[in-house]
Amino acid sequence: MKNVDSAGHVTGRSIYLDDIPVMQGTLYALPYDAPSAHAHIKKLDVSEAAAMPGVIRILTYKDIPGENQIGGIIPDEPLFAEKEVHFWGMPVALIIATSEDAAIQARKLITIELEELPVITDPREARAKGELIIPPRTFKLGDPKQAWSNCAHVFEGRADTNGQEHLYIETQGAYAYPTEHGSIRISSSTQGPTAVQKTIAKVLGVAMHKVEVDVTRLGGGFGGKEDQASAWATMVALASYLLKKPVKLAMHRMDDMRMTGKRHPYSSDFKIGLDKDLKIVAYEATFHQNAGAAADLSPAVMERTLFHATNSYFVPNVEVTAYCCRTHLPPNTAFRGFGGPQGMFVIESAIAEAARALGVSAREIQRRNLMPEGSEFSYGQIAEHVNATPAWELADKTFDFDKQQKEVDAFNAIGETHKKGMAIMPICFGISFTNTPMNHARALVHVYQDGSVGVSTGGVEMGQGLNTKMVQVAAAVFSIDPSRVKLESTNTTRVANTSPSAASATADLNGKALEIGCNAILERIKEKASRILKSKPEAITIENEAVMNNGQATDLDWKKLIHACHWDRVHLSESGHYATPEIHFDKSKEKGHPFAYHVYGTAVVMVTVDCIRGTYVVDAVKLVHDFGKRMNDAVDIGQIEGGLVQGLGWMTMEEIVYNDKGKLLSNALSTYKVPDIHSVPKEITIEALPTDGHPLAIRRSKAVGEPPLMYGIGVYFAIQNAIKAFRPDARMVFDAPYTPEKVLMSLYA
Ligand code: MTE
Ligand code: HPA
Ligand code: MOS
């Protein structure tokens, strides 16, 4: 089935936040943010700005009727700075004006007197100074301390990854207007409508039922709008509530880049021990997560780093510890993979280091340590339906790793200025929110009397194809043409108490709720059909809109049956509720069964490095992916391609730079480079691993949103292998992104 949104997207008719027609009298909001990463505020002077023509009012924390607090997991983040600023870009005031231009002019007139305080940007320094947001956590399996003595080889090292800008095409934004009885309605570009509703209610000091949040779709979220859409929505809600006017904010790109958090940079240490057969006997890692100035989602992101610290390998003795380090960067947040990629980069670095030191190919170590069926993850879950080895083997069979390596070697034997490198990247990603109580969803289904169907779920369409999958689910349960099904906006008054659209679990959770809702209606209409046809409900089926009795066609079809149901007063609406079964986790023991299932895959990555310039091209990424029983090939392939390219951008060119004062230097698209059409792999080949899928996946079609990002990690190690071919004694650093500057340093310095 085609993506229900593609025609709208290519004709420009799809409606994003900034496309919503504005109401008469709409005012425009613009945050004024701190020009320092850590300081006491001695004096804030908005008088000149407030006197500008077109400026209606300038709000600060003093205008907040409820709590000046937007922290989701931990209440440690004010909406507006009070006495201190904690990061460069922290909102201090909100300008409300009759036009965006007037607000921009006014912002230049605000002055602030600051008393500068010491700034920490490095997570290791934060840890040394005791600046931790939560106590460290450790996942442990076996006894690594004991195991080191059984290792033939032990290697240690350090591995760092930088942050990553979400760069959703649609920047953050929201539009609020007052409704009756002191209520408010907000359109928000958010992955978490309920998070927005809850935060606004808290800041305004009103009940949640006074706040209605509506989301049509996002021009991308990638985790950046899981929690961090709330601040902007709360600002416009506050202004609208106080001024009784519609208020809008669609952020400018540089404001968005400066004021919002990104993927967490990590700085980690590893220690890996192998026996003489290259089996990994023990693994230890210490992760320093750069959380930024407030908790945001950092504790949850940190947890997923621990869950994925051993990627798709079974290691009998593991001890991994993570520190959530408070620095003076903007609070870092969810980003596709949610800490998993950061953990996986470290074990891949450890394997690469062991391979280098032992003079073997990393592939030998990876292959020998893939998880067998029934093995235990460090967090106690027993791996079932493990597709690590099948994906690897099918990739090897299809793409012939030996042959590829021989081609690389042959090229490198002749090429003087250019060298090729190859790497294999297996992945394993757990599906479910790691926080078990978040794994539930609801859907509201109306069958209208003309046979058309309206569906609302708690899920948010952000480009990942959720709407298309939801239409498919409803159409499949009823066995009707998908054109009869319309997906409504996501709205907190229709579907309440939602978890954010995240963790790749949106289609599973909301789709299962939708199936439950549709099935309940189906039962009732079948019962009606059996009365019309003088049969039994069990004998009735609907097939492609035809109503069948004992498998025989009848005079009834979907439209006629629905019409009859309506006039017989059959209830044609239903709300389905789904909560993932089987999952649990005990944080006091750090053991449990947190994931409904895992997604696996294996990619082979080829690159060519220009050893004069330090530049490189990704020649090919060929992979076998565990889609389960795919319900929409085009959507899922789009997710693989997008995720892969986003992952390789993180690993190679996307370089976030803050100076030592905590000011973002890579603050625009001229200084922050994401992959473009020239930097995507010249060839991407995607093969599906044939399986039956998983019963906890929607229609057995496994979650696909985040896992493919991690194939991009292979690009780092392919580049490293090309460098080794040019200069066998090159010092190997594990410090992503591998920018051309860093490649040159490895080649010559
Ligand atoms: N794909 C597009 N086009 N845009 C996005 O914002 N977000 C990613 C992934 N794929 C994203 C995307 C992230 S971070 C997640 S968690 C999942 O989609 C969320 O959607 P899902 O749960 O439906 O997979
Ligand atoms: N993934 C993504 N988002 C989340 C998670 C998770 O596991 N937990 C809380 N928010
Ligand atoms: Mo995705 S990082 O779980 O929004």
Side-chain angles (χ1 to χ4, degrees):
M1 184 185 154
K2 276 199 190 133
N3 189 316
V4 295
D5 283 329
S6 38
H9 288 355
V10 297
T11 55
R13 292 194 176 101
S14 298
I15 295 178
Y16 297 86
L17 195 267
D18 205 24
D19 300 315
I20 297 172
V22 289
M23 278 168 272
Q24 212 170 20
T26 292
L27 301 174
Y28 295 84
L30 185 69
Y32 166 80
D33 59 304
S36 165
H38 193 198
H40 281 302
I41 301 177
K42 289 172 69 184
K43 191 170 171 226
L44 175 72
D45 186 355
V46 302
S47 54
E48 237 187 294
M52 275 235 349
V55 173
I56 302 292
R57 210 166 140 185
I58 297 180
L59 304 173
T60 66
Y61 74 93
K62 292 180 187 148
D63 299 293
I64 290 175
E67 282 176 62
N68 181 22
Q69 185 50 249
I70 61 167
I73 297 181
I74 297 172
D76 67 347
E77 192 179 355
L79 179 65
F80 295 121
E82 295 189 10
K83 308 252 164 337
E84 260 190 34
V85 298
H86 300 284
F87 64 92
W88 200 301
M90 182 173 183
V92 181
L94 188 72
I95 303 152
I96 316 296
T98 50
S99 72
E100 275 194 342
D101 261 359
I104 291 168
Q105 295 313 321
R107 185 161 74 175
K108 295 180 188 156
L109 301 178
I110 295 181
T111 58
I112 192 164
E113 258 180 64
L114 299 169
E115 182 190 325
E116 298 289 341
L117 296 167
V119 171
I120 301 176
T121 59
D122 173 41
R124 290 182 189 254
E125 183 187 341
R127 179 190 163 193
K129 293 190 169 145
E131 288 289 338
L132 297 181
I133 288 177
I134 53 163
R137 287 176 65 180
T138 300
F139 283 15
K140 199 171 164 189
L141 181 71
D143 187 353
K145 297 276 172 299
Q146 189 70 43
W148 296 120
S149 55
N150 303 331
C151 296
H153 318 282
V154 176
F155 305 102
E156 292 180 63
R158 171 176 165 154
D160 289 20
T161 48
N162 200 335
Q164 186 174 21
E165 165 62 43
H166 299 88
L167 220 86
Y168 22 65
I169 294 179
E170 179 192 38
T171 54
Q172 303 270 2
Y175 187 24
Y177 62 90
T179 54
E180 290 183 329
H181 306 300
S183 297
I184 195 159
R185 191 170 192 276
I186 299 103
S187 292
S188 165
S189 180
T190 180
Q191 292 172 242
T194 293
V196 166
Q197 181 191 22
K198 197 170 155 183
T199 308
I200 291 173
K202 186 178 201 174
V203 172
L204 299 188
V206 302
M208 280 172 76
H209 69 203
K210 299 248 168 168
V211 184
E212 172 183 351
V213 181
D214 190 86
V215 186
T216 307
R217 65 165 59 70
L218 318 188
F222 305 111
K225 298 171 182 169
E226 180 174 338
D227 222 38
Q228 297 213 350
S230 300
W232 325 109
T234 304
M235 286 179 198
V236 295
L238 173 69
S240 174
Y241 185 76
L242 296 174
L243 301 169
K244 311 267 179 286
K245 289 275 193 185
V247 181
K248 177 173 167 174
L249 166 61
M251 300 248 301
H252 290 255
R253 178 65 66 186
M254 287 174 78
D255 284 355
D256 184 309
M257 289 177 83
R258 185 176 68 252
M259 294 186 211
T260 63
K262 312 181 189 312
R263 183 189 290 287
H264 293 80
Y266 273 62
S267 182
S268 311
D269 299 310
F270 62 78
K271 184 172 175 186
I272 189 167
L274 300 92
D275 69 12
K276 60 180 183 3
D277 300 321
L278 303 181
K279 277 267 191 195
I280 304 173
V281 178
Y283 179 63
E284 278 183 7
T286 307
F287 303 105
H288 301 96
Q289 178 200 45
N290 191 333
D296 192 273
L297 293 166
S298 300
V301 170
M302 181 184 103
E303 176 173 78
R304 201 175 264 279
T305 303
L306 295 173
F307 282 118
H308 294 86
T310 51
N311 190 10
S312 38
Y313 309 110
F314 172 66
V315 184
N317 302 286
V318 182
E319 187 166 341
V320 286
T321 300
Y323 293 86
C324 185
C325 307
R326 190 188 292 107
T327 63
H328 298 102
L329 301 187
N332 286 313
T333 194
F335 196 131
R336 207 170 192 169
F338 207 74
Q342 289 95 320
M344 285 158 64
F345 179 79
V346 180
I347 191 155
E348 293 302 326
S349 297
I351 289 171
E353 175 60 17
R356 182 199 60 80
L358 295 171
V360 301
S361 149
R363 171 153 71 97
E364 295 295 322
I365 301 175
Q366 292 172 311
R367 174 67 189 91
R368 265 168 236 217
N369 291 284
L370 292 175
M371 306 198 53
E373 183 73 19
S375 52
E376 187 176 347
F377 287 99
S378 69
Y379 45 92
Q381 183 158 347
I382 303 300
E384 295 162 315
H385 315 286
V386 183
N387 290 329
T389 304
W392 179 290
E393 289 193 334
L394 184 59
D396 195 2
K397 195 168 143 228
T398 315
F399 309 125
D400 198 340
F401 299 163
D402 280 334
K403 185 164 153 257
Q404 304 257 336
Q405 186 64 56
K406 284 201 187 96
E407 282 171 21
V408 167
D409 294 343
F411 178 94
N412 288 345
I414 308 166
E416 283 180 24
T417 59
H418 289 68
K419 297 288 181 189
K420 283 193 188 288
M422 168 179 155
I424 313 288
M425 183 66 203
I427 61 156
C428 166
F429 197 77
I431 302 302
S432 289
F433 286 98
T434 55
N435 183 20
T436 303
M438 292 174 77
N439 293 284
H440 61 92
R442 278 150 304 285
L444 177 65
V445 189
H446 298 313
V447 177
Y448 293 98
Q449 51 189 292
D450 66 353
S452 64
V453 178
V455 169
S456 301
T457 76
V460 169
E461 171 64 49
M462 60 187 111
Q464 87 281 41
L466 178 76
N467 284 356
T468 305
K469 288 188 174 177
M470 294 304 99
V471 167
Q472 283 182 280
V473 167
V477 175
F478 291 135
S479 192
I480 56 175
D481 195 280
S483 65
R484 286 205 194 275
V485 183
K486 172 168 182 261
L487 218 81
E488 305 292 352
S489 66
T490 314
N491 186 296
T492 52
T493 66
R494 270 179 271 119
V495 179
N497 303 322
T498 60
S499 290
S501 285
S504 304
T506 317
D508 281 359
L509 296 173
N510 291 277
K512 293 263 183 188
L514 178 57
E515 267 183 344
I516 290 168
C518 292
N519 273 315
I521 297 176
L522 186 63
E523 288 298 302
R524 295 199 286 264
I525 63 179
K526 278 185 182 173
E527 198 275 332
K528 172 66 188 167
S530 72
R531 280 190 280 132
I532 298 174
L533 298 168
K534 306 204 174 9
S535 177
K536 293 200 180 73
E538 312 83 77
I540 306 292
T541 50
I542 298 173
E543 286 169 35
N544 295 322
E545 308 214 341
V547 179
M548 318 285 282
N549 185 13
N550 287 312
Q552 301 293 310
T554 67
D555 283 347
L556 269 186
D557 65 9
W558 170 261
K559 264 190 88 138
K560 285 186 203 156
L561 175 59
I562 295 302
H563 181 83
C565 285
H566 175 66
W567 289 103
D568 196 24
R569 299 183 290 180
V570 174
H571 181 198
L572 290 175
S573 296
E574 189 64 59
S575 164
H577 169 83
Y578 176 75
T580 314
E582 295 169 30
I583 52 172
H584 56 88
F585 194 72
D586 182 346
K587 278 196 186 177
S588 68
K589 300 196 175 74
E590 303 288 27
K591 296 281 177 194
H593 185 107
F595 298 118
Y597 58 88
H598 291 81
V599 171
Y600 300 86
T602 296
V604 49
V605 179
M606 294 287 196
V607 303
T608 305
V609 173
D610 176 335
C611 300
I612 304 296
R613 296 174 183 81
T615 55
Y616 40 77
V617 290
V618 182
D619 302 317
V621 177
K622 302 176 200 175
L623 59 93
V624 169
H625 187 79
D626 172 23
F627 294 98
K629 271 174 86 112
R630 252 191 299 192
M631 69 184 284
N632 192 309
D633 291 15
V635 164
D636 285 4
I637 286 172
Q639 286 295 292
I640 301 274
E641 291 175 346
L644 163 67
V645 170
Q646 207 163 29
L648 75 86
W650 173 53
M651 282 286 113
T652 59
M653 67 188 74
E654 297 188 38
E655 192 173 30
I656 302 232
V657 184
Y658 289 95
N659 69 11
D660 58 5
K661 296 204 159 58
K663 180 180 184 180
L664 181 68
L665 302 181
S666 51
N667 65 349
L669 287 170
S670 52
T671 44
Y672 187 77
K673 177 88 184 102
V674 293
D676 58 23
I677 195 68
H678 302 290
S679 35
V680 303
K682 300 285 167 276
E683 180 194 343
I684 299 179
T685 303
I686 300 164
E687 292 288 333
L689 182 72
T691 70
D692 281 343
H694 196 281
L696 295 180
I698 182 65
R699 300 188 69 74
R700 297 190 160 261
S701 177
K702 283 188 169 185
V704 69
E706 294 167 285
L709 181 131
M710 284 148 272
Y711 293 128
I713 295 173
V715 175
Y716 189 95
F717 297 96
I719 292 175
Q720 197 166 67
N721 288 335
I723 292 171
K724 264 193 258 176
F726 182 81
R727 182 178 170 187
D729 68 336
R731 202 170 58 86
M732 288 297 135
V733 289
F734 305 106
D735 184 15
Y738 231 145
T739 56
E741 291 88 333
K742 275 194 210 152
V743 172
L744 267 184
M745 295 300 277
S746 300
L747 290 167
Y748 297 105

